[in-house]
Amino acid sequence: MELDKLIRDVPDFPKEGILFKDITTLLKDAGGFADALDRFYEFAKDKGITKIAGIESRGFIFGGALAARLGVGFVPVRKKGKLPAETISETYDLEYGTDTIEVHKDAFDEGDKVLLHDDLLATGGTMKAACNLIEKTGAEIVQISFLINLTFLNGAEKLEGYDVRSLIEY
Ligand code: AMP
């Protein structure tokens, strides 16, 4: 199945000049969803992964489904102020200003091998911050997966040294 045909381009969302890659058209297609999940599973099986961390909010969708398929737990990486218990945080630069992401302090156990997942790799700033955050907890990152990699933005350069996988590349 050609998964890229199930992605909808929405020009000028959320602001002018951005070509938004809308994954909802893939998610609502039962065959597309199952095929994407199968491919993520093929990348992730036999790697000794013990937890999946997904980045808010679109990283929760395949991140959660893949956790169930692998038989491991799921950890949400959330925007600041959303998690109710004690957290660890990481602040990173945006084009204008900064953003902060958090995980619960007790989200990982000693020796956890983590797969980090998000829907899309653009500049890599969000995922790099998530890597720093997860590593602060002492957990090890064994794979990073994306549905989409916008390769022309060279986000993978920020993630050098990690096993980075994606299903659709532009
Ligand atoms: P970045 O930190 O630049 O790699 O941006 C990645 C985050 O921004 C991901 O969580 C994406 O969901 C979102 N994002 C960035 N660019 C786009 C785009 N063109 N279409 C859809 N989502 C995007």
Side-chain angles (χ1 to χ4, degrees):
M1 181 177 291
E2 291 179 84
L3 291 177
D4 59 321
K5 297 221 161 67
L6 295 173
I7 304 294
R8 171 165 56 191
D9 284 349
V10 183
D12 300 322
F13 183 87
K15 56 182 182 187
E16 217 172 303
I18 307 270
L19 183 63
F20 192 86
K21 295 290 181 187
D22 178 17
I23 68 166
T24 65
T25 37
L26 182 149
L27 298 175
K28 72 172 182 171
D29 184 295
F33 194 113
D35 189 39
L37 186 59
D38 284 346
R39 294 192 208 185
F40 284 129
Y41 178 74
E42 286 303 314
F43 288 150
K45 69 176 189 189
D46 307 328
K47 296 279 191 312
I49 288 160
T50 58
K51 281 210 178 78
I52 295 191
I55 299 180
E56 183 173 353
S57 58
R58 290 186 294 272
F60 295 171
I61 301 165
F62 282 111
L66 184 58
R69 174 76 74 91
L70 285 171
V72 302
F74 177 80
V75 172
V77 175
R78 299 213 61 184
K79 298 274 164 64
K80 188 181 167 65
K82 303 277 188 186
L83 289 168
E86 223 184 320
T87 59
I88 303 181
S89 65
E90 174 80 13
T91 298
Y92 59 102
D93 290 328
L94 298 173
E95 200 177 343
Y96 304 103
T98 62
D99 217 340
T100 300
I101 50 174
E102 299 182 326
V103 284
H104 275 143
K105 234 176 193 161
D106 62 358
F108 300 102
D109 300 312
E110 209 178 315
D112 260 339
K113 290 179 180 294
V114 177
L115 183 156
L116 253 170
H117 175 80
D118 201 1
D119 69 321
L120 183 142
L121 174 63
T123 66
T126 309
M127 188 52 88
K128 180 63 185 160
C131 290
N132 294 344
L133 179 65
I134 302 296
E135 286 171 350
K136 269 186 198 168
T137 72
E140 182 194 350
I141 295 162
V142 300
Q143 191 170 94
I144 298 174
S145 68
F146 300 94
L147 188 60
I148 299 168
N149 179 356
L150 301 183
T151 57
F152 55 89
L153 293 174
N154 299 316
E157 284 177 9
K158 283 208 183 76
L159 305 174
E160 244 176 57
Y162 295 107
D163 176 19
V164 179
R165 309 294 180 113
S166 52
L167 304 189
I168 303 167
E169 296 182 350
Y170 293 100

